[in-house]
């Protein structure tokens, strides 16, 4: 199955979509990677849904990526008297360690780390930012605030601290248990929530030990201050616009989306744009015009993947949401302005042999109007470099490693095919041509550009470029 677009689609699985039958429909509609949200999955259901995706993968004969999204720390107030209270703007409000139910003057906050970290003048946000509190003073077990924006506060609403670096690890005990299970099952990607600093990602990488790629979710203002280091240590990033839009002024989120996308592209790391992309399709069969424009913007920016959350997990129209995202992406990539916009954002190759080969493959393919670029890879690094160039021709990735093919299912423009390692240089070129033909990318007599590492099978050593004719012997190196 050929996708008629380069950007990939990540669909979250949930009660509306986690059966093998629905997963197959979502895949046929355009989903390339499936997200499993560990905030709503126990280990029994994680195993069940993982097995369902792998069943569909076997039926389709195409590599499918699985992303396990860890919950991260959840900061919440305690119980409120009568279930809720109304906070009045301008009044004082106390958060404390007491166990008594809250009212319009105070609420319990069972998180000692917050009391240690906050200082006067910082903001606390309750219930996704609907209620805003300004810290006026504190003790070891209480925080006194002024209500800047009031409202109705009910039981166990979330607490956000946009101005505060919290001394909390990104991995809770639940996350560690979920991560161990996900790695044992063999998921391809792990998304890390609540990232504040590079050390948070390093901890997850240490546990994963290469068994899964680690994606840092950028949803905290603190992470923006360490963006370059976080991208450097991560395998990919996610622009988690929901939480980012709670802790940042909403009008700043689109600019940060562009900056994050471009920073990831410069580094050659995949970037996923997520949250509320087709939100209205949770309950409606068609999206709003603004949502379509939002999806289109991410595609125009050259994001590797765009993601559906509740739309596919719990919505009434999960298949229609994926199909709509697929149509929007195809339309954008077929727009006459798209190639110029993508090329204008292209990063200069790094001063390495592998990057030089990938840049040369792009240039040669353009000059010769080649049918495709074909990359042989074991580790996946050759495919990532090829995608970083954002060429105008299809990229076929040939690998003998199923885990590599599944991870690269997330990456812009990569069509992954499982095949055994090439025996020699003749086999390398001949098989690249045969697969380009059989997969529907090239016709006999057309040229393809082939990249690989010599000696064959050497990880990270892309150092060879060949131009081959499909159906004929290669024409030279």
């Amino acid at each position: 199955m050929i996708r008629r677009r380069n950007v990939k689609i990540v669909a979250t699985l949930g009660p509306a979509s986690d059966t093998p039958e629905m997963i197959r429909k979502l895949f046929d509609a355009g989903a390339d990677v499936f997200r499993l949200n560990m905030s709503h999955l126990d280990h029994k259901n994680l195993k069940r849904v993982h097995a369902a995706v792998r069943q569909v993968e076997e039926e389709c004969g195409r590599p499918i990526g699985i992303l396990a999204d860890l919950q991260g720390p959840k900061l919440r107030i305690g119980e409120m008297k009568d279930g809720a209270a109304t906070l009045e703007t301008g009044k004082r409000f106390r958060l404390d360690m007491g166990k008594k139910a809250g009212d319009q003057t105070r609420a319990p906050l069972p998180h000692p780390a917050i009391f240690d970290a906050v200082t006067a003048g910082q903001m606390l946000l309750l219930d996704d930012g609907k209620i805003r509190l300004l810290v006026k003073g504190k003790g070891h077990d209480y925080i006194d605030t002024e209500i800047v924006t009031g409202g109705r506060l009910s039981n166990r609403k979330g607490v956000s601290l946009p101005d505060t670096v919290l001394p909390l690890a990104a991995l809770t005990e639940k996350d560690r248990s979920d991560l161990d299970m996900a790695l044992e099952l063999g998921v391809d990607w792990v998304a890390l929530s609540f990232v504040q600093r590079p050390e948070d990602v390093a901890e997850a990488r240490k546990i994963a030990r290469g068994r899964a790629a680690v994606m840092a979710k950028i949803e905290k203002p603190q992470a923006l201050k360490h963006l370059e280091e976080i991208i450097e240590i991560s395998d990919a990033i996610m622009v988690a616009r929901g939480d980012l839009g709670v802790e940042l002024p909403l009008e700043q989120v689109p600019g940060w989306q562009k900056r994050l996308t471009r920073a990831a592209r410069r580094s050659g790391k995949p970037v996923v744009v997520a949250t509320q992309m087709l939100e209205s399709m949770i309950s409606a069969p068609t999206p709003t015009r603004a949502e379509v424009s939002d999806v289109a913007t991410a595609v125009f920016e050259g994001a590797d993947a765009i993601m559906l959350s509740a739309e596919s997990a719990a919505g009434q129209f999960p298949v229609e949401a994926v199909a709509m995202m697929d149509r929007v992406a195809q339309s954008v990539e077929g727009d006459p302005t798209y190639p110029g916009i993508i090329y204008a954002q292209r990063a200069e190759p790094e001063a390495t042999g592998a990057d030089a080969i990938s840049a040369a493959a792009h240039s040669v393919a353009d000059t010769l109007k080649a049918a495709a670029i074909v990359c042989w890879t074991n580790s996946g690094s050759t495919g990532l470099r090829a995608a970083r160039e954002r060429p105008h021709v299809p990229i076929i990735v040939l690998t003998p490693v199923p885990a590599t093919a599944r991870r690269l299912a997330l990456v812009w423009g990569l069509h992954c095919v499982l095949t055994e390692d090439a025996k020699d240089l003749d086999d390398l070129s001949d098989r690249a041509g045969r697969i380009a033909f059989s997969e529907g990318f090239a016709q006999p007599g057309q040229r393809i550009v082939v990249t690989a590492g010599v000696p064959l099978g050497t990880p990270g050593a892309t150092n060879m470029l060949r131009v081959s004719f499909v159906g004929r012997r290669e024409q030279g190196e």
Side-chain angles (χ1 to χ4, degrees), residues 325-347:
M325 196 167 254
D326 179 73
R327 292 202 302 275
V328 172
Q330 287 191 51
S331 179
V332 169
E333 293 184 9
D335 190 275
T337 64
Y338 176 77
I341 293 172
I342 289 293
Y343 189 78
Q345 299 165 21
R346 177 174 162 267

Side-chain angles (χ1 to χ4, degrees), residues 60-95:
C60 297
R62 298 284 313 132
I64 298 175
I66 297 179
L67 166 65
D69 194 336
L70 302 179
Q71 176 176 288
K74 290 296 179 186
L75 306 176
R76 301 183 184 279
I77 64 165
E79 301 293 319
M80 300 295 289
K81 186 178 179 182
D82 299 324
T86 300
L87 279 55
E88 293 185 33
T89 300
K91 296 288 183 70
R92 290 298 181 110
F93 190 75
R94 173 171 281 196
L95 297 162

Side-chain angles (χ1 to χ4, degrees), residues 75-153:
L75 306 176
R76 301 183 184 279
I77 64 165
E79 301 293 319
M80 300 295 289
K81 186 178 179 182
D82 299 324
T86 300
L87 279 55
E88 293 185 33
T89 300
K91 296 288 183 70
R92 290 298 181 110
F93 190 75
R94 173 171 281 196
L95 297 162
D96 59 43
M97 292 285 291
K99 300 200 183 322
K100 187 177 176 183
D103 54 30
Q104 69 270 23
T105 64
R106 62 162 291 278
L109 182 63
H111 299 288
I114 295 178
F115 297 89
D116 296 334
V118 298
T119 59
Q122 294 182 338
M123 295 295 296
L124 279 82
L125 310 179
L126 308 182
D127 191 11
D128 287 338
K130 296 182 181 70
I131 296 172
R132 300 170 62 85
L133 308 175
L134 176 66
V135 177
K136 306 297 284 188
K138 70 167 190 174
H140 73 281
D141 62 353
Y142 69 88
I143 302 170
D144 283 331
T145 73
E146 179 184 330
I147 303 169
V148 177
T149 305
R152 186 173 182 274
L153 181 63

